[in-house]
């Protein structure tokens, strides 16, 4: 420690560093111990404790009339809490709001704020307040020798260090506060559940946190919104003392299209929620929502109606999106940081908090009973003296009349103590009646019975524990209620992708020979009938939905993907794909496909190799695409066809030959060359492949010539993969199209 010096004026000198360090530490300790953190005994911060105590001193009990809040605040500031009036009043308001406190401590009259705007309360000169009935659980035993007292800020009054809470209030209403280097966030809980946990712990002090959670499964907020935190996360919270709790709005569906929200998460503003949803609607990010209305009133404090576009909208998916993107679902930090019985702040788990509070409560009950026992013994002592006086009343009167110092004479004559002699001297004449002796003996008998009962309880730890248990059960019965926040296992909220949020429309994507693309609405579009630029012509087309991806294949076997809604309209000639994609030099786009990512397709090359894959495997994230099929030298990509399990695949060569085999014989790959489809002489190549259902009639088209193959003819070509197949007529040497006959 640095040496302190004092100058010639008697002023202590310190370095700036030393002075700053001490000043900041003093401030930090003050904020931690005397402002921001609650005490485990009564669960209150100093300002809250002083407000409640000051109100009780003003006589503002639950049975009294309301008085102006300004009077209470003035008393608190003038007697116990020399700080700002607005902060003090705000702390008082919070204790009166039934949507902020699970069990309100102040009963307010006037405008005390609303759920929508908790800080819209009227000024303290307008509102009136008194203590709530629940607050008696904190104050009832204050004058019964249960608390330690300390001088107030100016030393003129005494105030309680901690209130003698009859229930674990620290967990019931919870609290939040930010100190220096630490914070606290304790969620509210249900009185009955907490009391059940306390009683179980009294019966078996070795209960684990997991066993305690059978009685205290989760926090219980003042609202009826759902708690969706998993049991694993709740156990982690209660076992470590810190974690998080997630709460989700409760809703129901009316008339198939109206989603009615009747419970918002804790401290969520309905106005802010409306703004969040409206902002998404303006940005066209909620195509499934038509309207949002606030229908809240006195009968229904929370009623927000989200009108969906139609009954076909998946309500759960839409709500999961809103849960992920708005305050309809909110996460709350939990940190059980409290000032313990040792006067030090510490993060405690659930078991530690209950064990320590039960220790505090047991000591409080012991002090109360001892205080009462002392009173009983003192009264019995006085009654003994009075009885002696009544049995010798004439002599007592004579001593009082004749002696100069009757008190000393009485003490000497009858062996009375100072207190007994004083009580005899203070007797009124009307108490000298004959019946007074009977009254004294009756009172003696009652007090003697009470004395024995008190001494039995104080002399036995088990009886003391039973007394605590009885009082907890009585208070839970009187002030407890059912759980408000239901525990629900729910799906994780997930925002819908931009693709999912777009309206799904039927479109036809048309590709030209020069690589120009356009999308027309509907599935009845004939790409060959559309107009093209000079020197360009129809190449390929595919039908699908605007929310699906359009897959393009070039002549090198690379595939590319663009979202359907991003393609240009068919009212013009479209746009060149090279403006969005970067194919290799000399490569040309040859075809386009659309469908679900899980659709199975056959990728094949003219060299006679192919495989089965999912359409989603052909999606490419970058402009350069990706190699999906490896092409042997000199071969080309054949027209891709969709295939289903148990279908047959028809392979036609330039020889010409035809082979039919089961699609299931093809290997399933994400990319590659594939397996041999058909055996053919050198110099020949495959002209087309086609998947169809057994029993279909298939049409082979070669220029203007076409031939229909029925089930019998197809059966002749049926064999295993990689066989030769059957010979076709020479007119089918150049097959340009294969389709199912109508």
């Amino acid at each position: 420690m640095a040496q302190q010096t004092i100058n010639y004026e008697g002023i202590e000198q310190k370095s700036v560093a030393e002075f700053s360090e001490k000043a900041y530490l003093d401030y930090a300790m003050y904020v931690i111990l005397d402002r921001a953190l609650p005490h485990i005994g009564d669960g209150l911060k100093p300002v809250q404790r002083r407000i409640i105590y000051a109100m009780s001193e003003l006589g503002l009990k639950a049975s009294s009339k309301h008085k102006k809040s300004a009077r209470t605040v003035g008393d608190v500031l003038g007697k116990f809490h020399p700080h700002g009036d607005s902060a003090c009043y705000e702390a008082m308001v919070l204790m009166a709001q039934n949507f902020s406190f699970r069990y309100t401590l102040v009963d307010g009259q006037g405008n005390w704020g609303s759920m929508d705007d908790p800080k819209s309360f009227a000024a303290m000169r307008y509102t009136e307040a008194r203590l709530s009935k629940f607050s008696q659980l904190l104050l009832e035993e204050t004058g019964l020798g249960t608390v330690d007292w300390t001088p107030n800020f100016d030393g003129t009054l005494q105030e309680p260090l901690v209130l003698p809470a009859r229930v674990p209030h620290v967990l019931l209403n919870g609290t939040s506060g930010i100190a220096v280097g630490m914070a606290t966030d304790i969620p509210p809980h249900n009185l009955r559940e907490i009391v059940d946990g306390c009683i179980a712990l009294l019966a078996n002090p070795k209960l684990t946190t997991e066993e305690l959670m059978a009685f205290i499964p989760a926090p219980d907020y003042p609202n009826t919104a759902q708690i969706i935190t998993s049991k694993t996360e709740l156990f982690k919270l209660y076992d470590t003392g810190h974690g998080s709790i997630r709460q989700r709005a409760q809703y129901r569906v009316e008339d198939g299209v109206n989603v009615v929200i009747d419970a918002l998460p804790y401290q969520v503003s309905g106005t802010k929620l409306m703004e969040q949803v409206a902002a998404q609607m303006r940005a066209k990010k909620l195509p499934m929502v038509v309207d949002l209305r606030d229908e809240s009133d006195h009968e229904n404090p929370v009623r927000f109606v989200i009108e969906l576009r139609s009954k076909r909208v998946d309500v759960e998916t839409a709500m999961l999106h809103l849960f992920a993107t708005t305050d309809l679902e909110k996460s709350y930090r939990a940190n059980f940081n409290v000032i313990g019985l040792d006067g030090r702040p510490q993060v405690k788990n659930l078991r530690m908090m209950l064990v320590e509070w039960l220790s505090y409560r047991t000591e409080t009950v012991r002090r109360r009973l001892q205080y009462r026992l002392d009173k009983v013994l003192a009264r019995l002592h006085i009654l003994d003296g009075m009885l002696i006086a009544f049995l010798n009343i004439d002599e007592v009167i004579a001593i009082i009349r004749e002696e100069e110092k009757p008190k000393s004479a009485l003490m000497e004559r009858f062996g009375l103590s100072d207190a007994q002699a004083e009580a005899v001297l203070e007797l009124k004449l009307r108490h000298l009646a004959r019946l007074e002796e009977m009254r004294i003996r009756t009172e003696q008998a009652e007090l003697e019975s009470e004395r024995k009962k008190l001494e039995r309880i104080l002399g036995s730890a088990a009886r003391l524990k039973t007394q605590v248990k009885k009082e907890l059960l009585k208070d839970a019965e009187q002030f407890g209620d059912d759980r408000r926040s239901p525990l629900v296992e729910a799906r994780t909220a997930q925002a819908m992708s931009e693709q999912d949020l777009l309206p799904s429309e039927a479109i036809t994507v048309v590709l030209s020979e020069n690589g120009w693309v356009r999308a027309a609405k509907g599935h009845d579009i004939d790409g060959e009938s559309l107009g093209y630029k000079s020197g360009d012509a129809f190449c390929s087309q595919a039908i699908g939905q605007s929310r699906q991806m359009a897959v393009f294949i070039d002549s090198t076997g690379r595939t590319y993907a663009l979202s359907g809604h991003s393609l240009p309209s068919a009212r013009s000639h479209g746009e060149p794909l090279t403006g969005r994609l970067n194919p290799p030099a000399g490569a040309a786009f040859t075809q386009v496909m659309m469908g679900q990512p899980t659709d199975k397709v056959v990728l094949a090359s003219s060299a006679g190799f192919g495989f089965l894959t999912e359409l989603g495997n052909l999606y490419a994230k970058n402009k350069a695409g990706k190699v999906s099929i490896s092409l042997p030298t000199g071969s080309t990509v054949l027209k891709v066809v969709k295939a289903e399990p148990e279908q047959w695949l028809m392979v036609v060569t330039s020889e010409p030959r035809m082979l039919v085999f089961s699609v299931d014989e093809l290997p399933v790959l994400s990319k590659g060359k594939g397996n041999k489809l058909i055996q053919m002489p050198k110099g020949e190549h495959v002209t087309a492949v086609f998947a169809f259902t057994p029993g279909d009639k298939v049409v082979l088209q070669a220029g203007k010539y076409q031939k229909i193959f029925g089930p019998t003819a197809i059966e002749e070509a049926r064999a295993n993969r990689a066989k030769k197949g059957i010979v076709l007529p020479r007119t089918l040497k150049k097959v340009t199209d294969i389709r199912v006959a109508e």
Side-chain angles (χ1 to χ4, degrees):
M1 186 175 178
Q3 187 176 2
Q4 298 177 0
T5 59
I6 299 177
N7 66 9
Y8 63 91
E9 293 178 339
I11 299 173
E12 183 181 339
Q13 293 181 326
K14 288 185 178 180
S15 68
V16 173
E18 188 182 354
F19 175 80
S20 301
E21 181 182 356
K22 185 177 186 305
Y24 189 74
L25 282 173
D26 289 345
Y27 167 73
M29 289 305 296
Y30 164 73
V31 172
I32 291 168
L33 299 177
D34 207 38
R35 186 190 294 181
L37 300 187
H39 192 281
I40 194 167
D42 58 11
L44 297 172
K45 299 177 185 178
V47 65
Q48 296 171 325
R49 187 179 302 117
R50 286 164 177 166
I51 289 169
I52 292 171
Y53 179 67
M55 290 181 76
S56 71
E57 288 296 285
L58 277 170
L60 296 177
K61 296 181 180 178
S63 56
S64 66
K65 290 184 178 180
H66 294 80
K67 287 186 180 177
K68 287 288 185 185
S69 301
R71 183 170 178 183
T72 298
V73 172
D75 243 46
V76 174
L77 301 187
K79 293 180 178 178
F80 307 112
H81 198 70
H83 295 277
D85 60 338
S86 59
C88 179
Y89 180 50
E90 194 167 325
M92 181 179 172
V93 167
L94 195 69
M95 292 191 288
Q97 293 176 336
N98 58 9
F99 49 84
S100 295
F101 263 44
R102 181 65 176 80
Y103 301 95
T104 54
L105 300 176
V106 175
D107 177 16
Q109 209 169 245
N111 177 12
W112 290 82
S114 65
M115 194 184 302
D116 194 47
D117 186 4
K119 295 199 175 183
S120 62
F121 50 85
M124 59 183 154
R125 61 182 177 274
Y126 298 119
T127 61
E128 297 177 339
R130 66 183 179 189
L131 290 169
S132 68
K133 288 182 180 179
F134 185 84
S135 64
Q136 75 183 60
L137 292 179
L138 302 176
L139 292 162
E140 199 171 43
E141 300 174 357
T142 307
L144 301 179
T146 56
V147 295
D148 294 325
W149 299 82
T150 185
N152 68 338
F153 63 90
D154 61 2
T156 58
L157 295 168
Q158 294 283 310
E159 62 174 311
L161 281 171
V162 183
L163 295 179
R166 292 173 59 91
V167 290
H169 180 254
V170 66
L171 287 169
L172 298 181
N173 275 322
T175 190
S176 63
I178 300 174
V180 177
M182 59 180 65
T184 183
D185 287 282
I186 303 174
H189 289 76
N190 184 275
L191 174 57
R192 289 178 181 170
E193 293 177 354
I194 291 293
V195 166
D196 287 345
C198 287
I199 290 170
L201 207 52
L202 284 171
N204 181 11
K206 294 183 179 180
L207 279 183
T208 63
T209 301
E210 190 173 5
E211 289 169 330
L212 274 174
M213 285 183 67
F215 305 96
I216 309 168
D220 187 26
Y221 290 93
N223 55 26
T224 56
Q226 301 171 343
I227 293 176
I228 60 168
T229 312
S230 68
K231 289 182 180 179
T232 305
E233 290 177 323
L234 286 170
F235 172 74
K236 181 183 175 184
L237 162 64
Y238 284 138
D239 194 44
T240 62
H242 53 81
S244 64
I245 300 147
R246 189 168 288 274
Q247 211 179 20
R248 178 179 289 181
Q250 193 160 269
Y251 70 90
R252 64 180 187 276
V253 181
E254 291 182 357
D255 304 326
V257 293
N258 290 335
V259 177
V260 179
I261 297 165
D262 52 19
L264 294 176
Y266 184 55
Q267 294 181 332
V268 166
S269 164
T271 304
K272 184 180 177 183
L273 176 67
M274 296 277 286
E275 291 171 358
Q276 290 174 336
V277 177
Q280 290 195 50
M281 291 176 71
R282 284 195 298 271
K284 296 184 178 179
K285 291 184 177 180
L286 285 177
M288 76 290 281
V289 176
V290 176
D291 190 22
L292 174 65
R293 301 187 300 275
D294 182 0
E295 297 182 357
S296 305
D297 53 28
H298 289 292
E299 292 184 2
N300 301 293
V302 178
R303 182 180 168 87
F304 295 92
V305 180
I306 298 173
E307 187 178 339
L308 302 177
R309 187 171 297 278
S310 71
K311 292 183 179 180
R312 289 176 295 177
V313 173
D314 187 338
V315 176
E316 187 178 13
T317 303
M319 291 307 295
L320 286 174
H321 171 77
L322 289 172
F323 290 146
T325 57
T326 69
D327 283 346
L328 282 173
E329 182 176 315
K330 202 168 182 184
S331 184
Y332 304 92
R333 183 179 58 197
N335 185 26
F336 290 16
N337 192 4
V338 295
I339 298 172
L341 298 181
D342 57 0
R344 297 181 179 181
Q346 183 186 1
V347 175
K348 303 178 188 293
N349 63 23
L350 178 65
R351 187 181 181 282
M352 289 169 65
M353 291 191 78
L354 291 181
V355 167
E356 195 161 335
W357 183 85
L358 284 170
S359 171
Y360 169 77
R361 179 59 190 159
T362 304
E363 177 61 19
T364 301
V365 172
R366 190 198 64 75
R367 289 179 65 173
R368 188 191 77 211
L369 296 177
Q370 186 63 53
Y371 178 82
R372 177 58 185 164
L373 179 60
D374 293 342
K375 290 283 185 182
V376 168
L377 291 172
R379 181 60 179 165
L380 282 170
H381 181 62
I382 297 295
L383 289 175
D384 287 342
M386 290 178 71
L387 191 58
I388 291 171
F390 270 95
L391 293 174
N392 302 277
I393 190 64
D394 294 333
E395 192 176 350
V396 168
I397 291 172
I399 291 172
I400 293 172
R401 290 181 66 184
E402 295 169 4
E403 295 288 337
E404 285 186 14
K405 295 182 179 179
K407 184 176 180 180
S408 301
L410 287 171
M411 291 172 67
E412 185 178 346
R413 170 67 183 85
F414 299 109
L416 301 179
S417 68
D418 186 274
Q420 287 173 325
E422 191 67 36
V424 169
L425 290 172
E426 289 181 357
L427 270 175
K428 293 181 180 179
L429 288 174
R430 64 176 151 191
H431 289 156
L432 299 179
R434 287 184 180 180
L435 293 175
E436 192 65 21
E437 182 183 344
M438 293 177 61
R439 188 190 66 77
I440 291 173
R441 291 190 182 278
T442 302
E443 187 179 352
Q444 265 187 328
E446 290 174 354
L447 290 177
E448 189 63 32
S449 174
E450 186 178 355
R451 179 188 66 79
K452 290 178 181 177
K453 181 181 176 183
L454 290 170
E455 287 178 344
R456 279 200 304 271
I457 295 173
L458 288 168
S460 167
R463 283 195 175 95
L464 191 60
K465 190 183 289 187
T466 303
Q467 183 68 23
V468 172
K469 176 182 174 181
K470 285 180 180 177
E471 292 177 5
L472 282 171
L473 285 171
K474 180 183 175 183
D475 294 333
E477 180 66 29
Q478 185 177 354
F479 296 97
D481 57 4
D482 294 332
R483 166 173 281 277
R484 294 185 191 174
S485 303
L487 292 172
V488 176
E489 291 184 8
R491 286 176 58 188
T492 304
Q494 187 173 7
M496 296 169 71
S497 64
E498 184 181 350
Q499 199 83 357
D500 295 331
L501 288 169
L502 292 166
S504 183
E505 298 175 330
I507 60 170
T508 301
V509 178
V510 181
L511 177 69
S512 74
E513 289 182 350
N514 289 344
W516 284 62
V517 68
R518 49 188 148 170
K521 289 185 178 181
H523 286 168
D524 55 351
I525 308 299
D526 182 8
E528 295 186 9
S529 64
L530 297 177
Y532 294 88
K533 286 181 174 290
S534 177
D536 200 1
F538 172 78
C539 176
S540 173
Q541 74 177 49
I543 60 172
Q545 301 294 318
S546 58
R547 291 201 306 197
Q548 293 175 340
M549 302 294 286
V551 178
F552 301 91
I553 299 183
D554 69 13
S555 54
T556 66
R558 298 182 77 86
T559 58
Y560 312 79
L562 294 174
S563 55
H565 70 87
S566 69
L567 300 176
S569 170
R571 294 173 184 170
S572 63
H573 290 121
E575 295 177 6
L577 281 173
T578 50
R580 299 193 188 189
L581 305 174
N582 297 327
F589 293 101
T590 59
Q591 56 186 300
V592 60
M593 294 170 292
M594 289 192 81
Q596 297 295 334
T598 55
D599 287 350
K600 297 286 193 299
V601 294
V602 177
L603 275 183
S605 66
S606 60
F609 294 91
F611 60 92
L612 198 64
T613 190
E614 288 188 353
L615 189 60
N617 291 331
L618 308 185
Y619 294 172
K621 295 180 180 179
N622 51 44
K623 293 182 177 182
K626 67 178 184 179
V627 176
S628 291
I629 180 169
S630 303
L631 298 177
T633 305
S635 64
T636 59
V637 182
L638 298 177
K639 182 180 178 181
V640 177
V641 294
K642 289 184 179 180
E644 296 292 336
E646 299 181 3
Q647 281 192 321
W648 288 356
L649 188 71
M650 180 179 288
V651 182
V652 180
T653 69
S654 58
E655 191 174 353
R657 279 182 171 273
M658 178 176 73
L659 174 65
V660 176
F661 59 88
S662 174
V663 168
D664 296 335
E665 293 189 49
L666 287 176
V668 179
L669 306 172
S670 58
K671 62 178 182 178
K673 177 181 176 183
N675 288 1
K676 182 182 284 189
L677 302 177
I678 187 171
Q679 186 177 340
M680 54 187 178
K682 194 173 182 180
E684 301 295 332
H685 61 275
V686 176
T687 56
V689 293
F690 182 69
F692 62 97
T693 303
D696 287 345
K697 292 181 179 180
V698 180
V699 179
L700 270 65
Q701 181 100 25
K704 294 182 179 180
Y705 177 78
Q706 65 180 29
K707 181 175 177 59
I708 299 176
F709 288 83
T712 305
I714 292 173
E715 190 63 43
E716 291 179 7
R718 179 93 164 81
N720 292 328
R721 179 182 60 79
K723 298 299 182 182
K724 286 186 177 182
I726 62 170
V727 178
L728 294 176
R730 298 295 298 172
T731 49
L732 293 174
K733 188 171 180 65
K734 294 183 179 180
V735 173
T736 55
D737 183 42
I738 306 177
R739 63 184 183 276
V740 175
E742 297 179 358

